[in-house]
Every structure is written in C-alpha cells, then in structure tokens.
Amino acid sequence: MLNTTKGKRIYLSTPHMSGKEMKYIQDAFDSNWIAPLGFNVDEFEKGIANYIGAKGAVAVSSGTAAIHLALSLLDVNRGDTVFCSTLTFVASANPILYQGAEPVFIDSEPNSWNMCPNALKRAFEDAAMNGKLPKAVIIVNLYGQSAKMDELLSICKAYQVPIIEDAAESLGTIYRGKFSGTFGDYGIFSFNGNKIITTSGGGMLVSDNAEVIDKARFLATQARDPAIYYLHSRLGYNYRLSNVLAGIGRGQLEVLDERIKVKREIFETYKRELEGYSCLSFMKELENSFSNRWLTVLTIDDKKAGITVGEIVDAFAENDIEARPVWKPLHTQPLFKNSKYYPHNNEKSISEKLFLTGICLPSGTNMTKEEQIKVINCLKNLLIHSK
Ligand SMILES: *Cc1c(COP(=O)(O)O)cnc(C)c1O
C-alpha cells in the first residue's frame, strides 16, 4: 500500500497528520530521548489504555509484534494449535508460524463478516474429541467492524481457552458499550501507515492483567534479567517502539475521535450516493455496536452489475483510484495450504464468497469531497448496465 498524498491518485487510506505530532517529536529531540523508551512511549501507552479502558498497554514496533508477544506470553509452541479468523490480513496468523504452531482457520458469518460462532463451536468440538484444545483463539475485527464478541467469548470460556483480539483495524470501535480490543485476554492494535491513526509503523499490546503487561515489556526488550551485566534466562525480542515514533502517536491520538467521525461520514456519503443500485450491499453495522468504519467495504452482485470486482478494481486503477478486493481468506493462501479450515456450514464458505464479491473503496480521512465524488461517479459509470 502506497503512503502518499502527492499527485492526484486517490488511495485507500493514507496517513493523515494532525499538526500536533511535531511538538512531541521535538520534545524527544530536545531531550535527546531518541530511543525505544522515554516519555512519549509512556504517555502514548497511557493514552491508548485510558482511551479504550484497559489497565495496561505496551507500545511495540508493529501490530504483528504485538500478536507475537501475546502468543509467546500464552506459551504457544511447536506442536500447539491456534484458532484464527480466516478472513484477514496475513499478519494475524504469521506469528502462529513464528512459534512453530499450527493455525486452524475459522470462517466468517454473513452479518459481521467476522468469525462465525457456529464454525468456532464445531472446531472446538472436534478439538475436544481429539483431546487437543487450541492454546489460543485469535479473533479479528475487520475493517472497523467488531466480531460477535458475546457469542465467541462464551464458547472460548466454556473451553477455558484464552483470546487474542486482533483490533488492528478497529481502534475506537465499540461493542455493547465496551471498546474493541478489551474483550480478550489480550488486545492488539496497529499504527501502520494505512491504519486509522499511525506512527508510520508501530503497534500496541493491551491487557487488564498488570502482570502480563510487565512480562510483555520484559520480552519486548530482549528479556533482560535484573543484573548489572547482561543476563538472559529466556528468549526475548527487540520489539519496543521508538520514543520519536511514539511522539507521532501522541499527536495522532488527540484526533482519533475526529478521524472516526470523518471515516463514518465517508461511509455514509458512499451509501447515500449509491443507494439506488440493487447490485451493491454495504457492510452492515452489527447491532449494539459502533464501527470506526476504517474502510468502506461493500459486496457487488456481478450478475446484476454486469461487471466483476476484478474488472472494477482495474477500471479504477486506470482512473488513478486505488480500490482493493477484500482480504483473500488465509485458508486459500498457498502459505497455509495444509491448514485445517472450518466453514460457516457444509454448503457455505462465507469468507470465500466475500473475497469474490467484496471491494474496499478509498476511505482516507484527508480525501477531499471532490475526490470522493470522482470515485462515486467512476463507479456509477461502471454500473451503467446494472440491473
Ligand atoms: C495491519 C494489520 C495487522 C498488522 O499490523 P502491522 O502493524 O502492520 O504489523 C494485523 N492484523 C490486521 C487485521 C491488520 O489489518
């Protein structure tokens, strides 16, 4: 994903600085705290924890690193299995492989597009029958939409298996009065350049358990035991976030509410302007939830539309507009060709259908009204023969 606002190309989601970042970066320079620790890191951690209502947070170098730390803290190792949403970015599952463990992929359900409780239940029943429960379940909240946490949580609780909530795309999303990322034993966020707020690259691990937060901080700084020399008794990582980048994060966090407001307005504008097309269905907002609408996503019935998602993406590209199909399900990726998969039911694989019919439209908060109108008109022109 390219991260530039230069030129006239319209991108999916670009970094959007608030102007408040430079002050914090300057503070880091003035005090010479150019290190993977310091006051910006501390304040950014506190800021995120306060915002979502988590007890603790550890700032790290990426969302992927945060997932890896969570798996390491849960003692996931070679021979273990981990259940994971299939409709997601590869970063949700790569850390399972880092630990030498095996992913088992779980399909989506049609309302939220996120993990299907019935498929999860079947996966657990099989695992229990085989006498080998997963060490963890990674639940992803896609494009700002919360998964059906009530149902998923109660299944995992029944089997006493911990949850890692991949909230990389859902910072600020609320489900039944609680913030996304606070439902599992661990929550993870990403501040990659395309996310709703960014530190150019970065992530956060959050938890209500102060003990594991301390342990995460320890593992993320090479697992240095207390001693005047360098003493190590277990494997660690170099995963801490730079104090300079955390300064960007502090400036970004101040405008998170404003960014969510604009993301939701972008979604509403697309929906309103394209209302008349029966071939289009916008991603619904799950009941009792509030989505940050990170990206506007919809499905296209190609028979009614007379054009496929692939053809639309290509036609957009010719008009300097970046659009993308939704994530290719991980169980269909060559990397995971030997992994087990639990579809929605025997007849239907929802994630595969969403991949074939789903499209993400440009949703950058710094996109102008004119640019959004250009995208809308371009799509209308492509749907000229639609029924
Ligand atoms: C972006 C993203 C990640 C990974 O975050 P990085 O900071 O890029 O490592 C993980 N999961 C999902 C669903 C994402 O969209």
Side-chain angles (χ1 to χ4, degrees):
M1 230 163 277
L2 283 162
N3 290 318
T4 174
T5 51
K6 284 206 193 80
K8 58 180 171 45
R9 196 170 156 83
I10 305 171
Y11 292 97
L12 267 191
S13 187
T14 54
H16 186 180
M17 293 298 111
S18 67
K20 298 167 197 283
E21 296 83 6
M22 284 311 284
K23 173 178 148 326
Y24 297 117
I25 295 170
Q26 194 63 49
D27 288 348
F29 274 71
D30 290 347
S31 59
N32 203 33
W33 276 97
I34 314 294
L37 77 172
F39 47 86
N40 280 336
V41 172
D42 298 342
E43 291 305 314
F44 188 41
E45 288 174 345
K46 273 188 221 152
I48 290 284
N50 284 341
Y51 188 95
I52 63 168
K55 293 231 171 70
V58 186
V60 292
S61 51
S62 70
T64 312
I67 298 171
H68 191 197
L69 282 175
L71 291 175
S72 181
L73 287 160
L74 290 170
D75 203 28
V76 171
N77 286 305
R78 193 162 297 280
D80 292 331
T81 55
V82 174
F83 291 176
C84 182
S85 304
T86 193
L87 190 63
T88 182
F89 182 42
V90 70
S92 301
N94 272 343
I96 302 170
L97 300 188
Y98 299 168
Q99 289 301 94
E102 265 179 59
V104 171
F105 292 110
I106 314 291
D107 199 8
S108 305
E109 58 82 32
N111 291 323
S112 65
W113 299 27
N114 287 313
M115 191 181 277
C116 169
N118 290 334
L120 177 67
K121 214 166 162 196
R122 289 202 329 275
F124 264 118
E125 284 162 4
D126 282 359
M129 212 159 62
N130 295 330
K132 190 179 168 189
L133 289 176
K135 273 278 184 75
V137 179
I138 300 175
I139 302 174
V140 182
N141 305 302
L142 224 50
Y143 303 122
Q145 172 97 285
S146 175
K148 291 186 166 172
M149 282 301 169
D150 274 3
E151 293 167 57
L152 297 171
L153 249 65
S154 80
I155 297 166
C156 294
K157 231 180 222 147
Y159 290 93
Q160 296 186 311
V161 172
I163 292 171
I164 300 167
E165 201 186 352
D166 181 344
E169 302 178 3
S170 62
L171 177 60
T173 292
I174 299 166
Y175 174 81
R176 292 188 189 273
K178 248 171 84 113
F179 276 97
S180 203
T182 64
F183 288 88
D185 300 74
Y186 296 90
I188 78 95
F189 296 100
S190 166
F191 308 111
N192 189 33
N194 60 348
K195 299 303 198 291
I196 193 159
I197 61 169
T198 181
T199 58
S200 89
M204 194 79 75
L205 180 71
V206 300
S207 172
D208 278 339
N209 184 337
E211 209 175 300
V212 300
I213 287 295
D214 286 344
K215 201 157 170 215
R217 205 167 271 128
F218 163 79
L219 291 179
T221 38
Q222 307 283 26
R224 278 178 65 181
D225 293 331
I228 55 163
Y229 46 88
Y230 288 87
L231 180 66
H232 305 276
S233 49
R234 68 154 289 174
L235 178 66
Y237 313 95
N238 182 7
Y239 275 170
R240 288 292 265 156
L241 184 67
S242 146
N243 195 48
V244 179
L245 300 187
I248 305 178
R250 290 179 73 186
Q252 288 272 283
L253 189 53
E254 289 180 22
V255 294
L256 175 58
D257 287 335
E258 172 61 20
R259 295 291 181 265
I260 294 171
K261 187 169 158 275
V262 175
K263 288 279 192 191
R264 289 179 63 89
E265 282 168 8
I266 290 168
F267 177 89
E268 289 306 327
T269 302
Y270 278 126
K271 194 161 176 241
R272 192 179 58 242
E273 294 297 322
L274 296 162
E275 207 165 39
Y277 293 86
S278 67
C279 57
L280 307 180
S281 321
F282 285 81
M283 182 195 249
K284 296 204 173 56
E285 191 167 35
L286 198 61
E287 230 179 280
N288 295 312
S289 81
F290 173 87
S291 169
N292 74 10
R293 293 290 188 199
W294 173 54
L295 294 184
T296 291
V297 282
L298 57 146
T299 56
I300 299 178
D301 180 334
D302 55 7
K303 287 200 187 69
K304 280 187 190 169
I307 186 167
T308 65
V309 166
E311 288 164 345
I312 291 174
V313 170
D314 286 345
F316 269 146
E318 277 168 29
N319 287 281
D320 278 319
I321 296 167
E322 184 191 30
R324 291 276 174 103
V326 307
W327 300 121
K328 180 169 165 57
L330 296 185
H331 73 275
T332 68
Q333 298 283 0
L335 175 64
F336 296 112
K337 66 176 182 296
N338 296 322
S339 299
K340 229 173 163 184
Y341 170 58
Y342 284 87
H344 182 63
N345 60 36
N346 285 336
E347 287 98 59
K348 269 200 195 124
S349 174
I350 300 292
S351 56
E352 288 173 43
K353 176 97 182 158
L354 288 169
F355 172 62
L356 291 175
T357 58
I359 186 167
C360 308
L361 297 180
S363 310
T365 46
N366 47 8
M367 178 170 65
T368 64
K369 279 266 179 294
E370 291 70 35
E371 284 173 325
Q372 195 178 3
I373 289 167
K374 181 183 166 183
V375 177
I376 290 164
N377 287 338
C378 187
L379 186 54
K380 282 181 175 173
N381 281 332
L382 295 169
L383 298 175
I384 210 122
H385 301 295
S386 75
K387 281 176 250 153

